[in-house]
mmCIF file of all heavy atoms in Angstrom:
data_model
loop_
_atom_site.group_PDB
_atom_site.id
_atom_site.type_symbol
_atom_site.label_atom_id
_atom_site.label_comp_id
_atom_site.label_asym_id
_atom_site.label_seq_id
_atom_site.Cartn_x
_atom_site.Cartn_y
_atom_site.Cartn_z
ATOM 1 N N ASP A 1 51.031 -18.667 128.767
ATOM 2 C CA ASP A 1 51.598 -17.430 128.272
ATOM 3 C C ASP A 1 52.538 -16.698 129.173
ATOM 4 O O ASP A 1 53.530 -16.121 128.701
ATOM 5 C CB ASP A 1 50.420 -16.430 127.802
ATOM 6 C CG ASP A 1 49.638 -16.934 126.599
ATOM 7 O OD1 ASP A 1 50.175 -17.862 125.937
ATOM 8 O OD2 ASP A 1 48.613 -16.317 126.328
ATOM 9 N N ARG A 2 52.207 -16.736 130.404
ATOM 10 C CA ARG A 2 53.105 -16.102 131.458
ATOM 11 C C ARG A 2 54.407 -16.736 131.565
ATOM 12 O O ARG A 2 55.553 -16.093 131.478
ATOM 13 C CB ARG A 2 52.356 -16.058 132.695
ATOM 14 C CG ARG A 2 53.208 -15.269 133.750
ATOM 15 C CD ARG A 2 52.514 -15.281 135.169
ATOM 16 N NE ARG A 2 53.384 -14.558 136.147
ATOM 17 C CZ ARG A 2 53.331 -13.231 136.358
ATOM 18 N NH1 ARG A 2 52.409 -12.625 135.671
ATOM 19 N NH2 ARG A 2 54.106 -12.728 137.301
ATOM 20 N N THR A 3 54.413 -18.144 131.344
ATOM 21 C CA THR A 3 55.587 -18.905 131.382
ATOM 22 C C THR A 3 56.480 -18.626 130.183
ATOM 23 O O THR A 3 57.705 -18.564 130.408
ATOM 24 C CB THR A 3 55.364 -20.364 131.561
ATOM 25 O OG1 THR A 3 54.651 -20.484 132.886
ATOM 26 C CG2 THR A 3 56.590 -21.167 131.708
ATOM 27 N N LEU A 4 55.808 -18.541 129.040
ATOM 28 C CA LEU A 4 56.610 -18.156 127.864
ATOM 29 C C LEU A 4 57.188 -16.959 127.891
ATOM 30 O O LEU A 4 58.418 -16.709 127.506
ATOM 31 C CB LEU A 4 55.553 -18.362 126.653
ATOM 32 C CG LEU A 4 55.334 -19.776 126.194
ATOM 33 C CD1 LEU A 4 54.078 -19.736 125.245
ATOM 34 C CD2 LEU A 4 56.460 -20.454 125.579
ATOM 35 N N VAL A 5 56.419 -15.937 128.303
ATOM 36 C CA VAL A 5 57.032 -14.542 128.343
ATOM 37 C C VAL A 5 58.250 -14.577 129.414
ATOM 38 O O VAL A 5 59.247 -14.082 129.126
ATOM 39 C CB VAL A 5 55.995 -13.506 128.819
ATOM 40 C CG1 VAL A 5 56.638 -12.128 129.174
ATOM 41 C CG2 VAL A 5 54.996 -13.298 127.815
ATOM 42 N N GLU A 6 58.027 -15.178 130.535
ATOM 43 C CA GLU A 6 59.081 -15.196 131.530
ATOM 44 C C GLU A 6 60.420 -15.942 130.943
ATOM 45 O O GLU A 6 61.445 -15.606 131.281
ATOM 46 C CB GLU A 6 58.622 -16.020 132.682
ATOM 47 C CG GLU A 6 59.687 -16.126 133.880
ATOM 48 C CD GLU A 6 59.115 -16.786 135.052
ATOM 49 O OE1 GLU A 6 58.093 -17.490 135.024
ATOM 50 O OE2 GLU A 6 59.772 -16.744 136.213
ATOM 51 N N ALA A 7 60.029 -17.094 130.153
ATOM 52 C CA ALA A 7 61.273 -17.674 129.486
ATOM 53 C C ALA A 7 62.035 -16.821 128.548
ATOM 54 O O ALA A 7 63.317 -16.812 128.490
ATOM 55 C CB ALA A 7 60.689 -18.983 128.897
ATOM 56 N N VAL A 8 61.239 -16.158 127.785
ATOM 57 C CA VAL A 8 61.952 -15.193 126.734
ATOM 58 C C VAL A 8 62.685 -14.168 127.452
ATOM 59 O O VAL A 8 63.817 -13.920 127.083
ATOM 60 C CB VAL A 8 60.795 -14.543 125.934
ATOM 61 C CG1 VAL A 8 61.368 -13.439 125.070
ATOM 62 C CG2 VAL A 8 60.251 -15.597 124.952
ATOM 63 N N VAL A 9 62.118 -13.608 128.584
ATOM 64 C CA VAL A 9 62.873 -12.507 129.365
ATOM 65 C C VAL A 9 64.297 -13.123 129.962
ATOM 66 O O VAL A 9 65.228 -12.538 129.941
ATOM 67 C CB VAL A 9 62.000 -11.859 130.346
ATOM 68 C CG1 VAL A 9 62.816 -11.064 131.523
ATOM 69 C CG2 VAL A 9 60.861 -11.187 129.880
ATOM 70 N N ARG A 10 64.065 -14.354 130.464
ATOM 71 C CA ARG A 10 65.326 -14.918 131.081
ATOM 72 C C ARG A 10 66.308 -15.198 130.022
ATOM 73 O O ARG A 10 67.502 -15.008 130.310
ATOM 74 C CB ARG A 10 64.842 -16.172 131.772
ATOM 75 C CG ARG A 10 64.114 -15.885 133.123
ATOM 76 C CD ARG A 10 63.598 -17.061 133.852
ATOM 77 N NE ARG A 10 64.945 -17.744 134.443
ATOM 78 C CZ ARG A 10 64.897 -18.977 134.959
ATOM 79 N NH1 ARG A 10 63.817 -19.657 134.873
ATOM 80 N NH2 ARG A 10 66.096 -19.481 135.345
ATOM 81 N N ILE A 11 65.932 -15.648 128.878
ATOM 82 C CA ILE A 11 66.957 -15.951 127.854
ATOM 83 C C ILE A 11 67.518 -14.639 127.295
ATOM 84 O O ILE A 11 68.670 -14.589 127.194
ATOM 85 C CB ILE A 11 66.239 -16.719 126.684
ATOM 86 C CG1 ILE A 11 65.805 -18.236 127.092
ATOM 87 C CG2 ILE A 11 67.089 -16.792 125.459
ATOM 88 C CD1 ILE A 11 64.974 -18.865 126.055
ATOM 89 N N ALA A 12 66.808 -13.621 127.190
ATOM 90 C CA ALA A 12 67.214 -12.295 126.691
ATOM 91 C C ALA A 12 68.173 -11.873 127.747
ATOM 92 O O ALA A 12 69.278 -11.216 127.324
ATOM 93 C CB ALA A 12 66.063 -11.387 126.523
ATOM 94 N N ASP A 13 67.897 -11.968 129.017
ATOM 95 C CA ASP A 13 68.878 -11.481 130.105
ATOM 96 C C ASP A 13 70.191 -12.081 129.978
ATOM 97 O O ASP A 13 71.227 -11.530 130.100
ATOM 98 C CB ASP A 13 68.245 -11.590 131.399
ATOM 99 C CG ASP A 13 67.057 -10.691 131.774
ATOM 100 O OD1 ASP A 13 66.920 -9.728 131.118
ATOM 101 O OD2 ASP A 13 66.412 -10.892 132.845
ATOM 102 N N GLU A 14 70.087 -13.377 129.845
ATOM 103 C CA GLU A 14 71.454 -14.123 129.665
ATOM 104 C C GLU A 14 72.223 -13.693 128.457
ATOM 105 O O GLU A 14 73.468 -13.730 128.521
ATOM 106 C CB GLU A 14 71.116 -15.722 129.614
ATOM 107 C CG GLU A 14 70.593 -16.309 130.903
ATOM 108 C CD GLU A 14 71.612 -16.248 131.945
ATOM 109 O OE1 GLU A 14 72.899 -16.393 131.661
ATOM 110 O OE2 GLU A 14 71.321 -15.984 133.121
ATOM 111 N N LEU A 15 71.542 -13.333 127.445
ATOM 112 C CA LEU A 15 72.188 -12.801 126.264
ATOM 113 C C LEU A 15 72.416 -11.320 126.217
ATOM 114 O O LEU A 15 72.875 -10.775 125.189
ATOM 115 C CB LEU A 15 71.455 -13.215 125.008
ATOM 116 C CG LEU A 15 71.295 -14.730 124.857
ATOM 117 C CD1 LEU A 15 70.275 -15.094 123.721
ATOM 118 C CD2 LEU A 15 72.606 -15.468 124.451
ATOM 119 N N ASP A 16 72.034 -10.769 127.242
ATOM 120 C CA ASP A 16 72.351 -9.169 127.313
ATOM 121 C C ASP A 16 71.465 -8.433 126.249
ATOM 122 O O ASP A 16 71.885 -7.536 125.678
ATOM 123 C CB ASP A 16 73.695 -8.746 127.283
ATOM 124 C CG ASP A 16 74.549 -9.208 128.537
ATOM 125 O OD1 ASP A 16 74.040 -9.125 129.540
ATOM 126 O OD2 ASP A 16 75.689 -9.578 128.292
ATOM 127 N N LEU A 17 70.299 -8.925 125.938
ATOM 128 C CA LEU A 17 69.383 -8.302 125.061
ATOM 129 C C LEU A 17 68.177 -7.651 125.910
ATOM 130 O O LEU A 17 67.859 -8.040 126.926
ATOM 131 C CB LEU A 17 68.676 -9.358 124.243
ATOM 132 C CG LEU A 17 69.644 -10.287 123.429
ATOM 133 C CD1 LEU A 17 68.825 -11.267 122.682
ATOM 134 C CD2 LEU A 17 70.474 -9.388 122.493
ATOM 135 N N VAL A 18 67.679 -6.503 125.287
ATOM 136 C CA VAL A 18 66.695 -5.768 125.935
ATOM 137 C C VAL A 18 65.344 -6.258 125.292
ATOM 138 O O VAL A 18 65.236 -6.446 124.173
ATOM 139 C CB VAL A 18 66.748 -4.336 125.650
ATOM 140 C CG1 VAL A 18 65.658 -3.553 126.134
ATOM 141 C CG2 VAL A 18 68.102 -3.736 126.095
ATOM 142 N N THR A 19 64.354 -6.617 126.235
ATOM 143 C CA THR A 19 62.999 -7.031 125.749
ATOM 144 C C THR A 19 61.981 -5.861 125.572
ATOM 145 O O THR A 19 61.936 -4.918 126.337
ATOM 146 C CB THR A 19 62.451 -7.995 126.722
ATOM 147 O OG1 THR A 19 62.647 -7.524 128.140
ATOM 148 C CG2 THR A 19 63.280 -9.290 126.675
ATOM 149 N N ILE A 20 61.166 -6.135 124.490
ATOM 150 C CA ILE A 20 60.057 -5.267 124.217
ATOM 151 C C ILE A 20 58.808 -6.018 124.059
ATOM 152 O O ILE A 20 58.843 -7.003 123.293
ATOM 153 C CB ILE A 20 60.368 -4.512 122.887
ATOM 154 C CG1 ILE A 20 61.690 -3.701 122.877
ATOM 155 C CG2 ILE A 20 59.168 -3.604 122.555
ATOM 156 C CD1 ILE A 20 62.174 -3.258 121.577
ATOM 157 N N ALA A 21 57.807 -5.796 124.885
ATOM 158 C CA ALA A 21 56.587 -6.522 124.689
ATOM 159 C C ALA A 21 55.548 -5.693 123.871
ATOM 160 O O ALA A 21 55.357 -4.555 124.092
ATOM 161 C CB ALA A 21 55.958 -6.697 126.153
ATOM 162 N N GLU A 22 54.946 -6.386 122.940
ATOM 163 C CA GLU A 22 53.857 -5.858 122.053
ATOM 164 C C GLU A 22 52.517 -5.921 122.623
ATOM 165 O O GLU A 22 52.332 -6.780 123.446
ATOM 166 C CB GLU A 22 53.935 -6.653 120.668
ATOM 167 C CG GLU A 22 55.120 -6.605 119.867
ATOM 168 C CD GLU A 22 55.009 -7.411 118.578
ATOM 169 O OE1 GLU A 22 54.433 -8.436 118.644
ATOM 170 O OE2 GLU A 22 55.462 -6.829 117.618
ATOM 171 N N HIS A 23 51.590 -5.146 122.087
ATOM 172 C CA HIS A 23 50.137 -5.222 122.352
ATOM 173 C C HIS A 23 49.805 -5.071 123.959
ATOM 174 O O HIS A 23 48.875 -5.698 124.505
ATOM 175 C CB HIS A 23 49.630 -6.572 121.830
ATOM 176 C CG HIS A 23 49.545 -6.594 120.367
ATOM 177 N ND1 HIS A 23 48.759 -6.030 119.556
ATOM 178 C CD2 HIS A 23 50.345 -7.402 119.592
ATOM 179 C CE1 HIS A 23 48.950 -6.358 118.377
ATOM 180 N NE2 HIS A 23 50.015 -7.032 118.323
ATOM 181 N N VAL A 24 50.471 -4.167 124.570
ATOM 182 C CA VAL A 24 50.148 -3.872 125.898
ATOM 183 C C VAL A 24 49.021 -2.942 125.952
ATOM 184 O O VAL A 24 49.208 -1.721 125.609
ATOM 185 C CB VAL A 24 51.368 -3.356 126.724
ATOM 186 C CG1 VAL A 24 50.980 -3.124 128.142
ATOM 187 C CG2 VAL A 24 52.564 -4.342 126.590
ATOM 188 N N GLU A 25 47.736 -3.305 126.489
ATOM 189 C CA GLU A 25 46.587 -2.513 126.256
ATOM 190 C C GLU A 25 46.064 -2.068 127.634
ATOM 191 O O GLU A 25 45.198 -1.285 127.638
ATOM 192 C CB GLU A 25 45.598 -3.324 125.527
ATOM 193 C CG GLU A 25 46.057 -3.598 124.099
ATOM 194 C CD GLU A 25 45.065 -4.286 123.339
ATOM 195 O OE1 GLU A 25 43.996 -4.604 123.733
ATOM 196 O OE2 GLU A 25 45.424 -4.704 122.086
ATOM 197 N N ASP A 26 46.611 -2.612 128.709
ATOM 198 C CA ASP A 26 45.998 -2.140 130.030
ATOM 199 C C ASP A 26 47.150 -2.138 131.087
ATOM 200 O O ASP A 26 48.232 -2.820 130.886
ATOM 201 C CB ASP A 26 44.806 -3.042 130.470
ATOM 202 C CG ASP A 26 45.242 -4.506 130.442
ATOM 203 O OD1 ASP A 26 46.106 -4.818 131.289
ATOM 204 O OD2 ASP A 26 44.567 -5.258 129.845
ATOM 205 N N GLN A 27 46.826 -1.516 132.202
ATOM 206 C CA GLN A 27 47.838 -1.362 133.233
ATOM 207 C C GLN A 27 48.185 -2.753 133.891
ATOM 208 O O GLN A 27 49.387 -3.019 134.297
ATOM 209 C CB GLN A 27 47.378 -0.353 134.272
ATOM 210 C CG GLN A 27 48.530 -0.015 135.349
ATOM 211 C CD GLN A 27 49.799 0.665 134.645
ATOM 212 O OE1 GLN A 27 49.597 1.645 133.955
ATOM 213 N NE2 GLN A 27 50.839 0.205 134.944
ATOM 214 N N LYS A 28 47.236 -3.568 134.051
ATOM 215 C CA LYS A 28 47.419 -4.828 134.672
ATOM 216 C C LYS A 28 48.463 -5.706 133.926
ATOM 217 O O LYS A 28 49.301 -6.309 134.522
ATOM 218 C CB LYS A 28 46.126 -5.620 134.757
ATOM 219 C CG LYS A 28 46.191 -7.021 135.472
ATOM 220 C CD LYS A 28 44.743 -7.601 135.557
ATOM 221 C CE LYS A 28 44.840 -8.947 136.218
ATOM 222 N NZ LYS A 28 43.619 -9.622 136.289
ATOM 223 N N THR A 29 48.406 -5.653 132.651
ATOM 224 C CA THR A 29 49.331 -6.382 131.736
ATOM 225 C C THR A 29 50.657 -5.690 131.926
ATOM 226 O O THR A 29 51.764 -6.325 131.990
ATOM 227 C CB THR A 29 48.952 -6.259 130.251
ATOM 228 O OG1 THR A 29 47.568 -6.968 130.175
ATOM 229 C CG2 THR A 29 49.867 -7.003 129.426
ATOM 230 N N ALA A 30 50.790 -4.325 131.957
ATOM 231 C CA ALA A 30 52.105 -3.745 132.099
ATOM 232 C C ALA A 30 52.705 -4.020 133.487
ATOM 233 O O ALA A 30 53.923 -4.236 133.410
ATOM 234 C CB ALA A 30 51.804 -2.040 132.005
ATOM 235 N N ASP A 31 51.865 -4.027 134.474
ATOM 236 C CA ASP A 31 52.269 -4.397 135.787
ATOM 237 C C ASP A 31 52.951 -5.922 135.828
ATOM 238 O O ASP A 31 54.052 -6.094 136.409
ATOM 239 C CB ASP A 31 51.385 -4.359 136.867
ATOM 240 C CG ASP A 31 50.856 -2.904 137.124
ATOM 241 O OD1 ASP A 31 51.640 -1.961 136.637
ATOM 242 O OD2 ASP A 31 49.810 -2.650 137.608
ATOM 243 N N ALA A 32 52.267 -6.692 135.172
ATOM 244 C CA ALA A 32 52.819 -8.144 135.067
ATOM 245 C C ALA A 32 54.064 -8.263 134.234
ATOM 246 O O ALA A 32 54.981 -8.848 134.685
ATOM 247 C CB ALA A 32 51.768 -9.026 134.447
ATOM 248 N N LEU A 33 54.262 -7.438 133.182
ATOM 249 C CA LEU A 33 55.387 -7.471 132.444
ATOM 250 C C LEU A 33 56.640 -6.814 133.218
ATOM 251 O O LEU A 33 57.796 -7.223 133.137
ATOM 252 C CB LEU A 33 55.237 -6.722 131.112
ATOM 253 C CG LEU A 33 54.202 -7.382 130.160
ATOM 254 C CD1 LEU A 33 53.749 -6.434 129.125
ATOM 255 C CD2 LEU A 33 54.830 -8.654 129.590
ATOM 256 N N ASN A 34 56.320 -5.753 134.028
ATOM 257 C CA ASN A 34 57.264 -5.193 134.797
ATOM 258 C C ASN A 34 57.836 -6.098 135.790
ATOM 259 O O ASN A 34 59.059 -6.130 136.060
ATOM 260 C CB ASN A 34 56.688 -3.850 135.529
ATOM 261 C CG ASN A 34 57.753 -3.146 136.260
ATOM 262 O OD1 ASN A 34 58.851 -2.854 135.764
ATOM 263 N ND2 ASN A 34 57.428 -2.790 137.403
ATOM 264 N N GLU A 35 56.864 -6.791 136.419
ATOM 265 C CA GLU A 35 57.242 -7.874 137.501
ATOM 266 C C GLU A 35 58.188 -8.864 136.804
ATOM 267 O O GLU A 35 59.099 -9.289 137.543
ATOM 268 C CB GLU A 35 55.965 -8.549 137.926
ATOM 269 C CG GLU A 35 56.159 -9.537 139.058
ATOM 270 C CD GLU A 35 54.820 -10.206 139.365
ATOM 271 O OE1 GLU A 35 54.003 -9.384 139.802
ATOM 272 O OE2 GLU A 35 54.712 -11.373 139.347
ATOM 273 N N LEU A 36 58.031 -9.209 135.691
ATOM 274 C CA LEU A 36 58.927 -10.305 135.015
ATOM 275 C C LEU A 36 60.204 -9.685 134.475
ATOM 276 O O LEU A 36 61.094 -10.441 134.078
ATOM 277 C CB LEU A 36 58.093 -10.885 133.818
ATOM 278 C CG LEU A 36 56.911 -11.801 134.302
ATOM 279 C CD1 LEU A 36 56.203 -12.345 133.044
ATOM 280 C CD2 LEU A 36 57.414 -12.909 135.203
#
């Protein structure tokens, strides 16, 4: 799952798209998404 999210973020960055993550329910998840 982490690799899939990372891949989507990298592709979006290359295409100048902004990413939005759904179902963020805790700070640990938010921190991981911020890191990516």
